[in-house]
Amino acid sequence: MIPLPLARVAEITSGALNGLADPAAVVRGPVVIDSRAVVPGSLFVAIKGERADGHDFARQAHEAGAVAVLATRPVDAPAVIVGDPQAALAALAHAVVTELPGATVVGVTGSAGKTTTKDLLAGLAARMGPTVAPVGSYNNEIGHPLTVLKADEGTRFLVLELSARNIGHIAYLAEIAPPRIGVVLNVGTAHLGVFGGKEAIARAKGELVEALPADGTAVLNADDPLVSEMAGRTKARVTWFGRSARAHVRAEDETLDEAGRASFTLRTPSGAAPVRLRLYGAHAVENALAAAAAAYELGMPVAAIAEELSAAEPRSRWRMEVTDRPDGVTVINDAYNANPDSMRAAFGSLGVIGAGRRRFAVIAALRELGEDGPALNEDLGRLAAGAGLEAVVVVGEDAEPVLKGAPGAIHVPDAAAAARELSDRLAPGDAVLVKGPRAAGLERVAEAILGGDAR
C-alpha cells in the first residue's frame, strides 16, 4: 500500500489514536485481519467474527511488527479506535484509490465464473504493467478493501471481483474503488433464494455498470439476455463478448479436445488469433472471452491476448482442478461452490474428460435456492442419474430431493464417508467429478482420493 502516517489513518477513518500510538509512525502495509499475516509495517484490523475476536490478538500483532491496530476499543497495543472496523477499512481503501490516479480499476461480477475470469484478466493486465488482484474469491465487504489496499504508486491495474449477497452490495463495493471498466459475465441461479428471482439477481449485478463513468466501458455478455439488458443502465460505452455474431469479441471455430479443453479463434474488431486454453470445460470459453474483451479495452493487442490466454493455468483452488493419479484415475475437483448452472457445466466436462471410461460423481444438495430449492435439487438428481455414470454419491443430510431425482444414488452422511465409498469402487482409468456447495466441504473427498498419489 502507499505509506500512511498513523495520524493520516486516524483522519481517514475518523478514529482516535490510543495506547501510546505515535502519530508519525508510518504504516507501509500490508493491511491484514489475521495476526499470523502481520509483518513489520502492517496495520492489523481487529474484526470480531463468529469464532474469534481480533482484539484478543492485538498484542501478538504488535509484537510481530504491526504499527498499530484498527480497533473498536482500547487494546494492549498502539491503536486507532474507530466505531466500525469494516467501515473504517472501506474508507481507508477508498482514500488510497483516490491517491492512485495512474491506476485503472476493473470490476468483474456475475453468477458464475467471476474468479476464473478475474484470474485470467489479472494475468493479461500483468503483461502491460503492475497489477493487483484478489487471491481466490476475496470479493466481499472485507476482502475487497483489503485487496485495494495492496495497491501502491506503481500499480497500473486493479482487477477486482465483486460479489453480491443482496441488492446494494455491489454498489457499496464499487463506491470503495470506482471502476472504469465493468465486466458482467452472466445472470444465473446462484443465491436464488436470497434474491428471490433471476430478475433481482440481474438488478444486483447491474449495479456494477451503473457505477461506471460516462468515459468508462461496460463489458457485457451478448449471449445472456439479462446481461444484455444492462446496456440501458449505464452511461458508459458498451462492448460485447460472447459466441454470437454481434459480439465485438467472440469465439469462432470452437472445438474441445479429449480432455475437455477448448480451442477457438479469438475474433476482435482489429483482427483474430488462435487460442488453445489449458483450462477445462466449454464454459471456460465464456470466461476467456470476457477477460479478452476487457484486456482489449485496456489496449492489449489481440495476438498478445491469445498468447496469454493459451498459457494461463488455473490460479484459484478447487475450480475445475483436473489431476491424474499414477494409476490413471482422473479426479475433477470443482468443489469450491456450486449452483444449478455450474453443475450442468461440470457434468458436461465430466462427459468429455471421462469419455469411454467409467465415471463417478460426488455431489451434495445445492443451497440458497429459496422455494425453488427442492425442485432444482430434484433436477440435479435427474441430471446425475441421466449422465451414464457408474455411481453417484450424494453427501449430506439434506439430500432427499437429490435422491428423489436419482433414486439409484448412494447416500452418505459426510465427505469422509464419500471418500471411503469411492476408494472401494475406483479402478485404474476411472474418472471422478467432485462438486457441491462450499459448506459441504467436498474438496476433502478429492484430496482423500488423490492422497499421496497426486501429481
Side-chain angles (χ1 to χ4, degrees):
M1 65 176 288
I2 61 174
L4 292 174
L6 274 186
R8 176 67 175 139
V9 172
E11 179 186 4
I12 293 169
T13 60
S14 299
L17 298 180
N18 183 268
L20 301 179
D22 179 2
V26 178
V27 175
R28 302 184 183 278
V31 180
V32 299
I33 59 172
D34 186 338
S35 61
R36 295 168 295 184
V38 167
V39 297
S42 291
L43 177 68
F44 174 61
V45 184
I47 300 290
K48 185 175 182 180
E50 294 180 1
R51 299 180 180 178
D53 185 344
H55 294 80
D56 297 335
F57 301 91
R59 182 174 181 177
Q60 176 182 325
H62 180 53
E63 291 175 347
V67 176
V69 178
L70 199 63
T72 59
R73 62 176 187 267
V75 292
D76 191 12
V80 178
I81 306 300
V82 297
D84 181 346
Q86 179 180 307
L89 192 60
L92 195 60
H94 181 73
V96 165
V97 167
T98 60
E99 296 187 27
L100 301 175
T104 299
V105 179
V106 184
V108 179
T109 195
S111 294
K114 292 187 295 297
T115 300
T116 299
T117 302
K118 173 266 301 178
D119 288 343
L120 289 171
L121 181 52
L124 289 163
R127 283 198 169 206
M128 295 182 284
T131 299
V132 170
V135 176
S137 294
Y138 235 36
N139 57 20
N140 62 13
E141 294 86 346
I142 300 296
H144 187 78
L146 287 175
T147 300
V148 172
L149 287 166
K150 293 181 180 179
D152 59 25
E153 295 91 339
T155 300
R156 186 175 172 193
F157 302 105
L158 192 53
V159 180
L160 302 173
E161 178 181 337
L162 292 80
S163 70
R165 295 299 300 272
N166 219 318
I167 302 295
H169 285 183
I170 288 178
Y172 171 78
L173 297 179
E175 287 180 359
I176 294 173
R180 181 158 295 277
I181 296 177
V183 182
V184 184
L185 298 170
N186 43 54
V187 174
T189 49
H191 311 306
L192 188 63
V194 176
F195 285 96
K198 292 183 72 171
E199 291 73 17
I201 295 173
R203 286 201 302 274
K205 302 299 182 186
E207 291 170 2
L208 176 58
V209 302
E210 291 176 344
L212 297 172
D215 60 349
T217 305
V219 178
L220 302 180
N221 188 345
D223 302 327
D224 188 315
L226 289 174
V227 175
S228 294
E229 291 176 359
M230 295 178 192
R233 296 171 57 183
T234 183
K235 302 173 295 209
R237 182 173 57 85
V238 175
T239 190
W240 302 99
F241 71 90
R243 293 177 168 95
S244 67
R246 78 182 182 110
H248 300 113
V249 177
R250 60 185 182 273
E252 297 177 346
D253 307 320
E254 184 179 338
T255 62
L256 288 177
D257 68 13
E258 66 281 355
R261 293 168 297 201
S263 295
F264 59 92
T265 298
L266 176 65
R267 178 73 60 182
T268 74
S270 61
V275 174
R276 185 171 184 176
L277 294 178
R278 298 187 182 188
L279 308 181
Y280 294 88
H283 57 287
V285 174
E286 177 183 289
N287 302 330
L289 290 173
Y296 184 80
E297 291 297 326
L298 290 172
M300 193 170 188
V302 62
I305 294 172
E307 182 181 1
E308 175 63 28
L309 290 178
S310 297
E313 300 278 1
R315 293 189 179 192
S316 299
R317 299 187 65 191
W318 308 332
R319 295 166 175 86
M320 288 303 294
E321 287 183 354
V322 179
T323 308
D324 293 324
R325 294 193 327 197
D327 64 357
V329 169
T330 298
V331 179
I332 306 169
N333 183 355
D334 197 30
Y336 182 79
N337 217 334
N339 57 61
D341 303 316
S342 65
M343 274 290 191
R344 284 190 289 272
F347 272 95
S349 297
L350 175 62
V352 175
I353 295 171
R357 307 158 66 179
R358 293 199 319 163
R359 289 165 291 139
F360 298 80
V362 181
I363 59 177
L366 304 174
R367 304 184 181 188
E368 296 185 351
L369 297 176
E371 62 183 17
D372 295 324
L376 290 172
N377 272 306
E378 188 173 338
D379 288 344
L380 169 59
R382 282 192 286 268
L383 173 67
L389 307 185
E390 186 73 16
V392 177
V393 180
V394 183
V395 180
E397 299 178 354
D398 53 354
E400 290 79 6
V402 182
L403 296 170
K404 184 178 179 181
I410 301 163
H411 184 209
V412 297
D414 52 37
R420 290 193 297 270
E421 183 70 38
L422 278 178
S423 67
D424 294 335
R425 294 172 178 270
L426 290 176
D430 291 345
V432 184
L433 169 67
V434 182
K435 185 163 183 66
R438 186 71 193 91
L442 296 190
E443 72 279 358
R444 296 193 297 271
V445 179
E447 291 164 355
I449 295 170
L450 289 169
D453 291 332
R455 68 165 186 257

